[in-house]
Amino acid sequence: MPTKVVLGLQHGDEGKGRVVDDLVQTWADVVVRFQGGGNAGHTVYDELGNKFVTHILPIGVLNRDKFNLIAKGCVINVVDLYKEIKSLDVPVHNLLVSGLCPTIEPTHLAKDKVKYQGRLGTTGRGIGPAYSDFYARDSILFKDAINDPQGSLLKIQEKFFDYQTYLAETYIVNKNEDIHELINENFENFNKWVELYYKAAEFLKPYLLEKEDLIQDLYNENLNILLEGAQGSGLSIYSENYPDVTSSSPSVGEVLNSTGLNHTQIDEVIGVIKSYKTKVGTGEFPSQIFDINADILAEVGKEYGATTGRPRKCGWLDLDEVKDAVIQNGITHICVTKTDVMTHIGNPKYYRNKVFYDFAKINSVSTNDLSFSNLLEVIKSHTGVENISFTTGPKRGEIVWAEK
Ligand code: IMP
């Protein structure tokens, strides 16, 4: 089977990174990121427990003999991409980036911070404003940012000065000193970004994908292609959780838009769920818990954002949302993560048909443990997905596959 998609079926942070990493070690030749941007934080612990986090880069870059692609549905901050490639020392033969990716500009970062970080709890990476400009057809595409940095900078500056002028006019009207400070802060951030922009553009030239239909060639060569989702279904721009969502669609539909693969070329769609649920940003959720169990899950599960460090809200596994995501994405295989965390809970529960149900105490992450087997069975019977895999611990290799 040459293509597998890995999607989060909750609110992000399901552990997709380590599932992708496992498939990179054992199966994939090519890894493709297809939506979102540096808002993601995919964490992997290798066999020795060393921690790696990627944001915009596909997890496959941790492996020198895998080829990685950032497809056109992703938004790219050229300066951040440059820094992330440098920090992980990713050689050119490991990575190409679609020239059609819209870029994230300093104005997007400034607007995200002012307008959306407080109101929606965004990651502040400029994601929403960058996608807004894309749909308004005002984006600077990655190929132009790289091939024509001078021309692009003129456009970047124009947008930035327009925004600063708007802030200055607001200041003149209401004399709010915070706005004055903000204007100065924006200038500082802008100058820091521009300082690195030319260097980044020059450095990234060899990483620019010249042939947009390369992925079809890779598919026709029968290479194993892994499509790495970011965030999760509950954060989709099309979800009923709007506006408490991100600005892209972490779905199988987006794989097609972003990569140019068609639906007949998708062979397996793996949904990743945590054995409980977490969420960052604004908005409560139906299975959220407010008692001591929330603290235990947060503490044992180390539930702090990989991108922002923010504490995550915790709750029980919501099988209603998982089932919806299974149907919408044609999920053929579920991988349950952080099952070991559940062994620390005295009376674990799950949420189904808007009601809370009890599990018996789970003593070990093994199909020999009756309660653990029951957890897998409940997921299977409610979602209708037969293949249920699970992780047994945080490190590479600690995963039991139902079928691959
Ligand atoms: P944005 O994607 O930065 O615009 O943030 C919009 C919402 O999505 C906020 O609630 C973020 O906390 C959430 N979000 C974005 N990326 C992730 C992620 O990778 N994991 C979990 N939540 C995320």
Side-chain angles (χ1 to χ4, degrees):
M1 285 214 272
T3 59
K4 289 181 201 276
V5 180
V6 174
L7 298 175
L9 305 189
Q10 295 165 313
H11 262 88
D13 310 316
E14 297 92 350
K16 295 173 294 294
R18 58 91 41 94
V19 174
V20 170
D21 178 64
D22 193 275
L23 291 166
V24 169
Q25 308 303 321
T26 57
W27 179 82
D29 302 305
V30 179
V31 190
V32 185
R33 255 297 291 276
F34 60 88
Q35 45 76 222
N39 47 352
H42 291 173
T43 308
V44 168
Y45 293 90
D46 68 11
E47 298 84 349
L48 302 173
N50 299 312
K51 181 178 174 181
F52 300 91
V53 181
T54 62
H55 295 285
I56 182 61
L57 294 177
I59 278 284
V61 299
L62 301 178
N63 210 310
R64 287 291 174 258
D65 58 356
K66 308 289 169 170
F67 173 63
N68 296 271
L69 194 61
I70 300 179
K72 61 179 181 280
C74 297
V75 279
I76 307 281
N77 179 332
V78 170
V79 168
D80 282 355
L81 175 64
Y82 161 71
K83 287 186 191 163
E84 201 173 325
I85 290 177
K86 292 281 265 185
S87 76
L88 290 172
D89 199 15
V90 182
V92 174
H93 70 264
N94 257 161
L95 174 74
L96 287 175
V97 182
S98 165
L100 299 181
C101 292
T103 58
I104 298 174
E105 305 166 30
T107 311
H108 301 145
L109 298 168
K111 278 189 185 170
D112 198 12
K113 224 167 156 199
V114 177
K115 285 186 79 176
Y116 305 108
Q117 208 165 22
R119 182 156 75 84
L120 300 177
T122 68
T123 58
R125 301 297 155 110
I127 305 298
Y131 278 115
S132 300
D133 265 4
F134 177 61
Y135 281 98
R137 292 148 298 173
D138 272 334
S139 286
I140 294 165
L141 299 182
F142 184 67
K143 63 181 163 84
D144 300 322
I146 298 307
N147 288 332
D148 179 18
Q150 247 170 346
S152 297
L153 192 56
L154 285 179
K155 289 184 195 155
I156 291 168
Q157 269 169 337
E158 196 181 314
K159 274 195 219 170
F160 179 72
F161 288 127
D162 277 355
Y163 185 57
Q164 291 286 78
T165 305
Y166 155 77
L167 289 179
E169 284 167 0
T170 314
Y171 175 69
I172 289 166
V173 174
N174 63 24
K175 294 275 180 282
N176 180 339
E177 276 313 311
D178 289 348
I179 297 180
H180 192 241
E181 261 179 48
L182 190 68
I183 291 171
N184 289 334
E185 200 182 304
N186 286 346
F187 269 123
E188 265 175 46
N189 291 338
F190 179 82
N191 288 333
K192 276 191 211 148
W193 192 91
V194 170
E195 236 174 71
L196 279 177
Y197 172 52
Y198 279 114
K199 204 183 210 175
E202 189 57 33
F203 175 85
L204 290 171
K205 260 192 185 140
Y207 292 88
L208 175 63
L209 172 67
E210 299 288 353
K211 193 174 179 301
E212 269 302 319
D213 59 357
L214 175 71
I215 195 155
Q216 283 293 344
D217 295 347
L218 300 172
Y219 181 84
N220 290 327
E221 283 171 34
N222 223 17
L223 292 173
N224 288 342
I225 302 174
L226 184 57
L227 296 130
E228 175 182 346
Q231 290 85 42
S233 314
L235 285 169
S236 167
I237 186 78
Y238 298 115
S239 143
E240 62 189 19
N241 298 322
Y242 187 97
D244 295 317
V245 294
T246 188
S247 293
S248 67
S249 166
S251 65
V252 82
E254 202 61 6
V255 171
L256 311 187
N257 290 333
S258 178
T259 65
L261 288 168
N262 69 56
H263 72 100
T264 66
Q265 295 174 314
I266 303 297
D267 297 301
E268 184 171 28
V269 191
I270 302 173
V272 183
I273 61 173
K274 214 155 19 188
S275 53
Y276 50 97
K277 161 150 179 160
T278 58
K279 182 181 191 306
V280 277
T282 50
E284 289 185 357
F285 55 94
S287 67
Q288 192 167 339
I289 44 181
F290 300 92
D291 58 21
I292 181 77
N293 288 314
D295 300 333
I296 299 172
L297 291 172
E299 185 68 25
V300 182
K302 300 194 182 74
E303 298 299 350
Y304 298 92
T307 301
T308 58
R310 290 177 295 173
R312 298 172 184 147
K313 299 164 195 164
C314 294
W316 302 119
L317 175 62
D318 178 345
L319 284 175
D320 297 337
E321 79 169 354
V322 172
K323 188 175 181 181
D324 285 347
V326 162
I327 293 168
Q328 282 162 23
N329 292 292
I331 299 293
T332 47
H333 190 148
I334 286 179
C335 184
V336 192
T337 63
K338 292 208 168 172
T339 48
D340 52 321
V341 177
M342 287 294 265
T343 62
H344 294 259
I345 300 286
N347 57 334
K349 295 184 196 303
Y350 64 98
Y351 182 80
R352 188 180 72 175
N353 298 335
K354 305 197 182 340
V355 177
F356 288 98
Y357 293 88
D358 288 321
F359 281 125
K361 165 114 178 58
I362 296 171
N363 292 311
S364 74
V365 180
S366 149
T367 45
N368 294 329
D369 182 290
L370 269 185
S371 312
F372 183 72
S373 293
N374 185 41
L375 167 76
L376 302 185
E377 204 44 54
V378 163
I379 294 170
K380 198 184 278 190
S381 69
H382 193 66
T383 60
V385 177
E386 284 295 320
N387 288 327
I388 311 279
S389 301
F390 57 90
T391 62
T392 54
K395 285 195 229 139
R396 186 178 275 164
E398 293 181 321
I399 185 160
V400 176
W401 286 99
E403 187 199 80
K404 270 208 258 186

